[in-house]
Amino acid sequence: MKRPFLLALACALLLTGCTGPAQPTHTPTSDPTAESTTFAMDTVMTFRLYGGTEEDLTAVTSRILSLEQDLSVTLEDSQVYALNHSGGEPVTAGEDFLALLALAKELGNRTGGALDVTMYPVVKAWGFTTSEYHIPDEDTLSALLANVDYTSVTVEGDQVTLPAKMELDLGAIAKGYAGEMAANLLRERGVTSAILNLGGNVQTVGSKADGSPWRIGVQDPQQTTGGYLGVLEIRDQAMVTSGGYERYFEEDGVRYWHIMDPHTGAPARSGLVSVTIVGDKGGLCDGLSTSLFVLGREKALDYWRTYGGFEAILIDDQNNIWVTGGLKNNFTLVADSPYTLNIVEE
Amino acid sequence: MNIKSNKFWVIVIAAVLALCLVAVGIWTWWRNSQPEEEGLIAVVRLDGRIVAAVDLNKVTENYTQTFSGESGNSNTVEFAPGQVRVHDATCPDQICVSQGWADRTTLLPIACLPNSLIVEVAAAQDLGLDSISR
Amino acid sequence: MNVKRLTFCALLTAIALTIFMVEAQIPLPAPIPGLKLGLANIVTVYAMFALGPRDTLLILISRVFLGSLFAGGSTLPYSMAGGLCCYLIMLLLRKLLTVKQLWVCGAVSSIFHNIGQVAMAIFITKTPSLILYLPFLLIPGIVAGTFTGLAAQFLLQRLGSRIKL
C-alpha cells in the first residue's frame, strides 16, 4: 500500500473515539475494607475505611451516635435539651459539650458574633427546623434577638448555665466536631486510610490506600443536587462547606437560606454564596464555614490573615472564586468553568 | 497494490467501515460494563461552557431547568433519578428532544447543535472524586 | 467565467439546493444530528470532475450557505466545515481517481464531510466526547456516499462529454 495515510488517519480518529473521553483519568483505588452508611445527626453519613475492620467501623458509629445523644437539640435526654429546659439553672456537661462550648465561644469572639450558638429561637421562627417556612415580621425578630447572646452562656468547671428564655444549638459545629472525633478514634485504632462524609462534611484520615491525596469535589452553589465546580486534593484533613443552597425557601422570587446573620436575625447577605474550609480540626472548620459566610469575603480573608490555621475557598454571587494561598496547588477548577479563579496571598 | 485500482479502494473503505463497527462495539461493551457507581453526573454544556453538572443518582424527583444560549435559543432539560433528557427546545430540527432519555448506558451524548447545547452522562468514577463537600 | 459557464454553475447550484431541500423533508431514521443521505453531494462530485475545483467551490459554498438559510437554524458552521473538508479531499481524489471511480470519491468525501462536521462540533461545544458520533455517522455515511458517488459517476458518463463550455 503506497498511501495508507487515509487508513491511518481514520484509525487514529476512531481509536481516540473509543478510548478518549470516557477512560478514568485516575487509577481507581482498591475497594474499602469496611464501609457503612448511617443516618445520624439529621443527615446521611458514609464511612469508608481502607485497611480498617468492621470493629473500627462500629466504634466510629457508636462514637457518633453517642455524640448525637449528648448534643442533639431535639432528643429529650440530651445534655443540650436539658440546658435549654433548665430555666436558668446550672446543668452538668460532658467533655464533648464543654469542648464545643469553648470552640463556639472562641469563634464567636474572634468573628465579632458572626457565629452565635444561641440563634436557635430565630432559626425556629423562620421555620428551618420544621421545613414550614415563613418570614417572621420585624417585631417578632427583634423580640427574639433580645434573647440571642452567646456570651451569656457561662461555664464553671463542668457546670453550664443558660439564662431562661434562651436556647442553644450546636448544629453549626457538631457535625464537623463529630467527624474530627471519628478521625481521631480511627487514628488511635491504627487506621491509616479512611474517608468519612457526614452529610457533606468531609473528613479524611491519612491519604488514599495508594498514597495519593483524596480528591474531593466542591459543590457548585448554583446546583442544588450534587454538581461540583472544582476538585481539591487533601490528606488527613477535614473539608467543610456551607452554602445557601443547602437549605432554603423562596418567596416572591427571593431566596431565604438557613445561614443566619446573628446581628439581623435574617439570612446572611454578605455577597458570598458558599464557603469551604479545609483544616486539621473538623469542628473549627465547620464553625468557620458558617461564620465566614456571614462575615463576607473581605472580613473572612482578614480573619484568615490574622488567625490562620486553615485554608478557604470562597465563592461570591458574581461567579468569583477566592482560594487562599495554601490551596493554590491543590485546587483544580472543572474545565470550562463559568467561575473566575482568584488566588489570595497573605 | 495500485492506488488506482478498485481493489485498493474497496479495501480502504471496507477497513474504515470495519473500524467503525469495532469502535461502536467496543464503546457499547464499555458503556454497559461500567459498575453502578454512587455518582452519575449529567454535564450540560452551552456555548462551550459547563452550565450544570448534576448527580443524577441524587435526584429524587424530576425537575426541569431551562438553558438559554447566546443566540436566544433555549432548551429545557429534565433531570430525573438516573437519567436526563431535553424536554423541549426552540431548535428547528428537534433532534435533541427526539434523542429522549440518556442514562448510564446511553451511547451518545445528547446534542442540540443549532443551540450549541450538549448533555453528557458520565459515571462519577471517571472524574476521580472520592467525595463531595457541600 | 463566461455566461454559459456561469449559467451552468447556477443551474447546478439550484439543482443541489433542490435536492438538499427535498432531502430535508425525509424523516431521520435515528435522532443523530448531522445524519443524512447527502444526495446534494452528487452535484459536488459531478462538478469536481466535470468542471474543476474553482467552480465546484463556488457551487458548494453557495449551496451550503443558501441551504442553511432556507432550512433555518444555525447549523451553517457544521455544514460549512463538513463541506470544505469534503472539498479538500476531493481536490486530492480528483488526481487519483478515474471517471469510473467516482463512487470512491462519494464514499471518501462523505467520510471527510463527517470528520469536518464532528471536528467543528467539538470545537464549538468544547465537548471532545462528540467524537463518539463519528462511527455512528460514518457507517451510514459511507454506504450513502458510495451510492451518491455512483449516481455522479453515471451522470458524468452520460452527460459529461456533451457539455461544451
Side-chain angles (χ1 to χ4, degrees):
Chain A
M1 235 184 258
K2 278 182 186 167
R3 290 201 190 228
F5 70 99
L6 263 186
L7 191 60
L9 182 61
C11 291
L13 279 162
L14 287 169
L15 287 176
T16 43
C18 55
T19 57
Q23 209 173 45
T25 43
H26 299 269
T27 39
T29 50
S30 47
D31 291 334
T33 51
E35 185 173 15
S36 74
T37 302
T38 313
F39 191 84
M41 297 183 155
D42 266 338
T43 192
V44 178
M45 302 185 173
T46 55
F47 308 137
R48 296 209 304 267
L49 314 186
Y50 298 82
T53 60
E54 291 296 330
E55 286 78 61
D56 296 321
L57 208 53
T58 311
V60 166
T61 311
S62 61
R63 177 79 170 97
I64 284 174
L65 290 176
S66 86
L67 275 174
E68 179 180 25
Q69 192 56 53
D70 291 346
L71 305 174
S72 165
V73 74
T74 48
L75 292 178
E76 292 188 10
D77 41 7
S78 84
Q79 294 167 18
V80 170
Y81 190 93
L83 184 69
N84 286 346
H85 297 80
S86 62
E89 294 300 313
V91 167
T92 307
E95 211 175 300
D96 296 313
F97 195 176
L98 292 171
L100 280 168
L101 283 174
L103 175 63
K105 186 157 195 150
E106 181 183 67
L107 275 175
N109 291 344
R110 286 179 170 187
T111 59
L115 182 78
D116 195 317
V117 284
T118 59
M119 278 288 280
Y120 191 59
V122 178
V123 176
K124 265 202 293 195
W126 283 85
F128 283 108
T129 51
T130 53
S131 300
E132 287 159 14
Y133 305 117
H134 75 284
I135 304 168
D137 59 56
E138 290 279 322
D139 295 341
T140 316
L141 275 187
S142 53
L144 288 172
L145 280 176
N147 284 316
V148 169
D149 180 13
Y150 72 97
T151 56
S152 21
V153 184
T154 54
V155 181
E156 271 175 54
D158 65 353
Q159 296 298 301
V160 182
T161 317
L162 180 75
K165 285 188 180 172
M166 288 179 70
E167 282 179 287
L168 180 131
D169 174 21
L170 296 170
I173 45 180
K175 264 194 291 167
Y177 180 81
E180 181 183 333
M181 291 303 113
N184 286 346
L185 183 63
L186 286 172
R187 290 185 192 109
E188 281 164 26
R189 296 176 68 97
V191 177
T192 55
S193 175
I195 185 160
L196 318 175
N197 191 319
L198 299 84
N201 289 16
V202 177
Q203 172 73 53
T204 62
V205 174
S207 44
K208 283 206 256 191
D210 63 2
S212 63
W214 302 99
R215 291 168 54 82
I216 317 294
V218 179
Q219 165 87 33
D220 182 344
Q222 291 177 22
Q223 291 294 319
T224 49
T225 38
Y228 65 95
L229 55 79
V231 179
L232 189 67
E233 296 194 331
I234 59 170
R235 290 176 205 269
D236 213 31
Q237 282 187 310
M239 178 167 163
V240 182
T241 303
S242 284
Y245 54 83
E246 288 171 275
R247 223 164 345 133
Y248 65 86
F249 66 97
E250 277 173 359
E251 207 167 296
D252 299 327
V254 182
R255 184 174 285 199
Y256 299 91
W257 48 65
H258 71 295
I259 304 173
M260 296 278 160
D261 184 342
H263 299 295
T264 62
R269 308 268 179 214
S270 64
L272 292 180
V273 290
S274 162
V275 172
T276 297
I277 306 290
V278 182
D280 295 333
K281 293 189 177 297
L284 179 73
C285 292
D286 202 357
L288 279 173
S289 71
T290 309
S291 49
L292 298 194
F293 185 104
V294 173
L295 285 181
R297 175 171 64 92
E298 295 285 333
K299 288 183 185 167
L301 292 176
D302 285 346
Y303 184 103
W304 172 68
R305 291 188 183 98
T306 310
Y307 298 102
F310 68 95
E311 299 294 339
I313 300 169
L314 314 176
I315 300 160
D316 71 13
D317 51 13
Q318 305 296 312
N319 281 8
N320 288 305
I321 303 182
W322 310 84
V323 174
T324 57
L327 296 180
K328 67 180 170 192
N329 297 324
N330 313 14
F331 181 71
T332 321
L333 216 51
V334 295
D336 308 308
S337 172
Y339 294 92
T340 312
L341 182 62
N342 306 277
I343 306 290
V344 184
E345 300 290 350
E346 279 194 59
Chain B
M1 200 189 302
N2 191 344
I3 192 162
K4 300 228 180 213
S5 73
N6 274 349
K7 197 177 167 194
F8 170 82
W9 290 106
V10 168
I11 290 175
V12 168
I13 292 168
V16 175
L17 265 180
L19 265 171
C20 287
L21 288 169
V22 169
V24 169
I26 291 177
W27 178 238
T28 308
W29 167 80
W30 205 85
R31 240 350 214 189
N32 284 288
S33 67
Q34 290 307 97
E36 290 195 31
E37 288 303 317
E38 63 179 278
L40 187 68
I41 307 282
V43 179
V44 182
R45 287 177 199 252
L46 182 67
D47 297 324
R49 294 162 71 90
I50 294 180
V51 287
V54 173
D55 190 339
L56 295 176
N57 285 350
K58 298 221 171 69
V59 176
T60 48
E61 51 188 75
N62 294 24
Y63 71 97
T64 59
Q65 194 173 347
T66 301
F67 301 96
S68 300
E70 286 160 5
S71 47
N73 295 321
S74 71
N75 299 65
T76 300
V77 178
E78 181 174 5
F79 300 95
Q83 54 181 8
V84 61
R85 69 168 169 177
V86 176
H87 184 269
D88 57 75
T90 58
C91 58
D93 56 22
Q94 299 286 306
I95 290 176
C96 52
V97 178
S98 50
Q99 284 184 313
W101 290 103
D103 61 19
R104 202 174 48 82
T105 59
T106 306
L107 295 177
L108 295 171
I110 298 173
C112 183
L113 294 185
N115 294 5
S116 310
L117 179 119
I118 308 288
V119 184
E120 283 181 277
V121 178
Q125 193 201 20
D126 287 0
L127 308 156
L129 289 189
D130 298 302
S131 200
I132 291 184
S133 171
R134 59 193 155 82
Chain C
M1 189 184 277
N2 64 40
V3 175
K4 198 172 174 191
R5 204 177 178 92
L6 183 67
T7 313
F8 193 57
C9 283
L11 186 65
L12 285 182
T13 308
I15 293 171
L17 201 56
T18 310
I19 296 175
F20 177 84
M21 292 307 292
V22 170
E23 190 191 305
Q25 306 309 311
I26 303 172
L28 291 178
I32 295 176
L35 184 73
K36 58 182 176 196
L37 288 168
L39 295 176
N41 203 35
I42 296 174
V43 174
T44 321
V45 174
Y46 168 77
M48 185 57 108
F49 285 80
L51 301 176
R54 207 186 57 159
D55 293 341
T56 308
L57 188 61
L58 283 176
I59 295 170
L60 180 72
I61 289 182
S62 318
R63 195 267 295 162
V64 168
F65 185 75
L66 292 173
S68 96
L69 209 64
F70 290 170
S74 43
T75 45
L76 180 63
Y78 308 102
S79 0
M80 200 56 100
L84 291 178
C85 235
C86 168
Y87 176 78
L88 290 175
I89 197 68
M90 272 198 258
L91 285 181
L92 187 75
L93 292 172
R94 191 169 156 267
K95 306 276 181 204
L96 293 175
L97 301 174
T98 65
V99 287
K100 292 198 170 173
Q101 288 178 314
L102 260 61
W103 63 272
V104 172
C105 186
V108 175
S109 65
S110 92
I111 294 175
F112 279 80
H113 183 92
N114 288 331
I115 290 174
Q117 274 180 314
V118 171
M120 181 53 84
I122 290 172
F123 175 75
I124 288 184
T125 64
K126 309 242 182 357
T127 310
S129 61
L130 288 188
I131 197 156
L132 292 167
Y133 272 99
L134 198 53
F136 290 90
L137 288 169
L138 285 183
I139 295 170
I142 289 172
V143 176
T146 306
F147 283 101
T148 57
L150 211 54
Q153 190 175 321
F154 293 147
L155 194 64
L156 190 70
Q157 278 167 3
R158 282 170 176 65
L159 200 66
S161 54
R162 289 183 207 167
I163 308 281
K164 292 275 180 284
L165 298 171

